[in-house]
Amino acid sequence: MELRRRYTTADLGVFTPEEASRFLPPGGGDPQNDVILAWELLYRLEPELYDRLASAERLHPGIVSWLPCGVGRIAEVGAGTGRLTMELIGRGQHVVAVEPAGPMRLILERKLAAADHGHRARVVHGFFDQLPLPDDSADLVVACSAFTPAAGHGGETGLAEMERVCRPGGCVAVLWPNHLGWLVARGYRHVSFPGPMSAQFGSYADAVELAEVFFPRAAGEVRRLGRRLVPFEVLGINPPRDLAFKVLAG
Ligand SMILES: C[S@@+](CC[C@H](N)C(=O)[O-])C[C@H]1O[C@@H](n2cnc3c(N)ncnc32)[C@H](O)[C@@H]1O
């Protein structure tokens, strides 16, 4: 069933009070009329389904290569199930991954342990607007497909928090941003990596199943194409090829 129809108000009880205060509008909220709320429920109720989608939507290799390498401390916010975290491990001596949704943290911890990276990464609970990290404690602070200008998902306070945690001369980077202009207006520079990009589903069956949930309008075309690689244009979303960054004054 498609994401917009998947959950009901009966599912809202999964939110902790601090999640509810950020994600629910005054008076409640209905995930069938608010897809952002539906995504938040997905992270808590079906995190493995999200992880299958994120595994298919691989970042442009240029994004990962662009990130600074050989740095000491990296902080990632909204780490989810680790699409970016697993790449960051090789680029810094220590990574702290901040993620509010407990079920997503469990998957990320499992992946880090399986890759024997547990000692180089710490997964912690936290939100953009109140990062549980000291001032100037990271050389790189990064978020991937997580930060938005909305207060519950970052906003002015969240951006200020990312910059507080980043040391002078360090870099704050927002990968796959949804509102580039908002970041550019705040002094961030845009980088985009060219070339055709496709979502890489595990199989054709996987492509069809995930399209029915996340890209229902494209599901017919995905079925007609009959393969596991599906161009992002077919899915109707921007490919993960952009980033916005700011190097803080030293
Ligand atoms: C689309 S997922 C991206 C996850 C991961 N970065 C990736 O690239 O797959 C968005 C993530 O942001 C997290 N998130 C949502 N609101 C947040 C907030 N206020 N503070 C920190 N993280 C948040 C969600 O729990 C979720 O893991």
Side-chain angles (χ1 to χ4, degrees):
M1 187 190 296
E2 69 176 281
L3 189 63
R4 279 184 182 278
R5 298 274 158 269
R6 216 166 169 86
Y7 311 115
T8 69
T9 52
D11 294 310
L12 298 177
V14 74
F15 290 129
T16 64
E18 54 181 357
E19 290 169 349
S21 73
R22 286 167 173 92
F23 304 142
L24 293 181
D30 180 351
Q32 305 217 342
N33 293 321
D34 179 350
V35 77
I36 295 171
L37 200 49
W39 280 97
E40 290 300 334
L41 290 170
L42 170 76
Y43 304 146
R44 289 157 181 85
L45 297 172
E46 299 183 279
E48 302 280 358
L49 181 61
Y50 172 77
D51 190 48
R52 286 170 60 201
L53 174 70
S55 303
E57 293 178 338
R58 294 195 199 152
L59 301 176
H60 192 296
I63 290 193
V64 178
S65 316
W66 179 92
L67 290 168
C69 200
V71 294
R73 301 151 303 165
I74 301 177
E76 184 190 359
V77 189
T81 58
R83 166 173 34 198
L84 178 66
T85 323
M86 302 308 287
E87 307 280 357
L88 294 174
I89 296 289
R91 309 191 80 81
Q93 283 165 12
H94 191 265
V95 176
V96 56
V98 180
E99 168 55 45
M104 303 281 267
R105 286 200 303 277
L106 283 181
I107 293 178
L108 175 52
E109 279 163 354
R110 204 170 66 211
K111 285 186 189 176
L112 288 165
D116 209 14
H117 286 327
H119 58 294
R120 295 182 61 192
R122 191 162 57 98
V123 182
V124 300
H125 172 264
F127 297 91
F128 277 110
D129 57 60
Q130 216 174 352
L131 292 178
L133 304 172
D135 294 0
D136 305 345
S137 59
D139 305 289
L140 170 67
V141 182
V142 62
C144 176
S145 182
F147 181 92
T148 84
H153 295 92
E156 300 285 2
T157 310
L159 198 63
E161 274 290 272
M162 290 177 78
E163 294 184 9
R164 172 185 68 74
V165 166
C166 187
R167 69 161 169 82
C171 179
V172 177
V174 178
L175 313 188
W176 205 6
N178 73 339
H179 286 84
L180 197 49
W182 190 92
L183 289 163
V184 169
R186 284 155 185 79
Y188 281 68
R189 291 168 60 189
H190 175 209
V191 183
S192 186
F193 298 91
M197 287 187 73
S198 291
Q200 304 179 36
F201 296 99
S203 62
Y204 168 60
D206 216 37
V208 170
E209 186 190 338
L210 292 172
E212 279 166 356
V213 178
F214 296 106
F215 312 104
R217 275 183 287 186
E221 182 63 7
V222 171
R223 238 180 260 111
R224 199 191 63 73
L225 283 174
R227 43 194 169 84
R228 74 174 192 92
L229 301 186
V230 181
F232 279 95
E233 307 86 76
V234 170
L235 299 177
I237 59 168
N238 287 332
R241 63 163 87 252
D242 295 287
L243 65 86
F245 76 99
K246 186 196 254 185
V247 174
L248 301 192

